[in-house]
Each structure stands twice: as C-alpha cells, then as structure tokens.
Amino acid sequence: DHLVSGHMDNLRGYICNRSEDFLRHSAHFVENHDEPRAVEEFGGSMRANAAAAISFLLPGLRLAFHEQWEGSARRLDVHLRRSAKFETDAGTARYYRKLNTVLAENVLHSGKWSYVHAQHPTNGEHGGWRVVSWKMYTAEERMLIVVNYTDGDAAVRFQLPDTPGNGNITVKEFMSNKTYERDANELRTRGLLVVL
C-alpha cells in the first residue's frame, strides 16, 4: 500500500522503522492473483519496476506473479486455464533480467540489513526526500541500495563509515554495471554522491 500511494515519507517511515527480523519474516510483492497488474496499478512500467526493486531488494520472501517479469498489463483470471496473448514489454523484460542478476549477489542473501539516511544536501545536492535507501553487508561485502521512487531527479550523499581500506577503492553500480574509483576516506567522511 505504501508503494501504491507513492507518499515518500510514509514509505521511508515504513521501511526504516522495521527491524531486520520483521523484514526477513515478511513477504514482498508488487502484484498477485487478486490485485491489479503492477503496470496498471503503478501507472506504467517505470514506476512498477522501481516498486519491484524496492520489494525484491529488501530482506525477506520475494514473490513475483505470472508474466510480471514480461510487463503484462492483462489480469489473469485464476478460474481460466489459459490467458490472452500479449506482447512482452522489452524494456521490462530487460529490467527484470538485470534485477535478477543483482538478486543473485550473495550479500543480499547472507548479509545484515540496515537503513541508511541520505545526508543533508550541500553544494547543489538535492532530492534526498525522493529516495529510499538501505545497505546489506557482510564482513567482506557491502551493498548500498538507493531507489528514486519519484518522477524527478536526485543528487544525494550517503556517508559510509564502515568503508574498509585506504586510498582508492572500486565502487560498482550494479544496474548499469559501471565501476568507479572512490577514495575510501572520503566515503567514510564526506560520503558517496549518488545521482538518480
């Protein structure tokens, strides 16, 4: 319901005020057999895909419904033996292939969860209210998850005090598969700038 309403304070409040144990024992989904298809419910594939990222990247049980990964907007009546044919949305199919690659990362299955707040904006940074963010981490791996769940852009910093090492380290952006070199001390103090 928080994803459907799109009210960022309520969504952020719901996620950051839940314990890791609560999330791990919860089921997360954006559509199922007795609800409208995500593309219809969220007003298009872009917002439906962002809702799926939030749902699937949180700890807990991840549920996807029939043809959700193909961007189907047709509701399947559970009393029928077959559904009407539809054309797969190529962008949604690509998005879910990439999301599934990210979901295979070990840190999302064996890591600990912690909500991460965006820092107050400075020097042209803006839109911290537009994002929800948390991290998954083990002793060896850290993954910062940031989702912009609005129709505008955001440039936000996240202080990462548990960044290991000194000098430059490699930061990977999983959805684009790009890597960046960032100073470990700067990540611990000033933070990582994320633009979405």
Side-chain angles (χ1 to χ4, degrees):
D1 292 340
H2 293 295
L3 288 170
V4 173
S5 78
H7 190 285
M8 293 305 296
D9 288 336
N10 291 344
L11 176 60
R12 211 176 2 265
Y14 176 81
I15 294 172
C16 78
N17 290 312
R18 297 298 176 260
S19 68
E20 179 179 2
D21 188 58
F22 177 89
L23 291 171
R24 288 205 182 278
H25 289 91
S26 298
H28 308 292
F29 58 91
V30 294
E31 66 178 62
N32 66 23
H33 69 280
D34 61 353
E35 304 215 1
R37 299 309 298 248
V39 172
E40 178 186 332
E41 183 77 359
F42 293 100
S45 60
M46 184 176 286
R47 190 154 173 255
N49 292 347
I54 292 169
S55 296
F56 292 175
L57 291 168
L58 284 169
L61 183 62
R62 301 164 179 106
L63 303 175
F65 186 57
H66 178 72
E67 298 175 340
Q68 175 181 334
W69 294 354
E70 297 164 358
S72 176
R74 293 184 183 209
R75 189 166 178 186
L76 175 64
D77 188 325
V78 295
H79 302 97
L80 298 177
R81 292 178 51 183
R82 59 185 166 265
S83 64
K85 296 286 184 196
F86 78 98
E87 193 169 320
T88 297
D89 178 69
T92 297
R94 254 189 325 275
Y95 181 83
Y96 273 97
R97 279 194 300 276
K98 188 61 181 174
L99 183 59
N100 282 326
T101 301
V102 175
L103 288 169
E105 291 293 319
N106 182 56
V107 70
L108 293 173
H109 303 281
S110 61
K112 301 287 286 170
W113 174 87
S114 177
Y115 193 83
V116 178
H117 293 276
Q119 291 181 238
H120 291 291
T122 60
N123 299 329
E125 297 159 13
H126 62 281
W129 68 270
R130 295 181 177 277
V131 301
V132 290
S133 47
W134 59 93
K135 67 179 177 178
M136 298 293 297
Y137 60 96
T138 65
E140 299 81 29
E141 296 178 279
R142 285 151 188 79
M143 182 182 284
L144 175 66
I145 297 155
V146 183
V147 180
N148 182 342
Y149 196 58
T150 69
D151 59 357
D153 64 337
V156 186
R157 274 194 192 275
F158 294 92
Q159 192 174 19
L160 305 171
D162 60 345
T163 301
N166 294 303
N168 281 348
I169 63 170
T170 302
V171 176
K172 181 177 181 180
E173 198 284 306
F174 282 91
M175 292 303 282
S176 71
N177 218 26
K178 293 181 180 178
T179 58
Y180 306 92
E181 294 297 314
R182 297 292 182 259
D183 181 71
N185 188 53
E186 183 175 325
L187 295 177
R188 286 189 291 267
T189 56
R190 189 161 179 241
L192 176 68
L193 178 64
V194 177
V195 179
L196 299 169

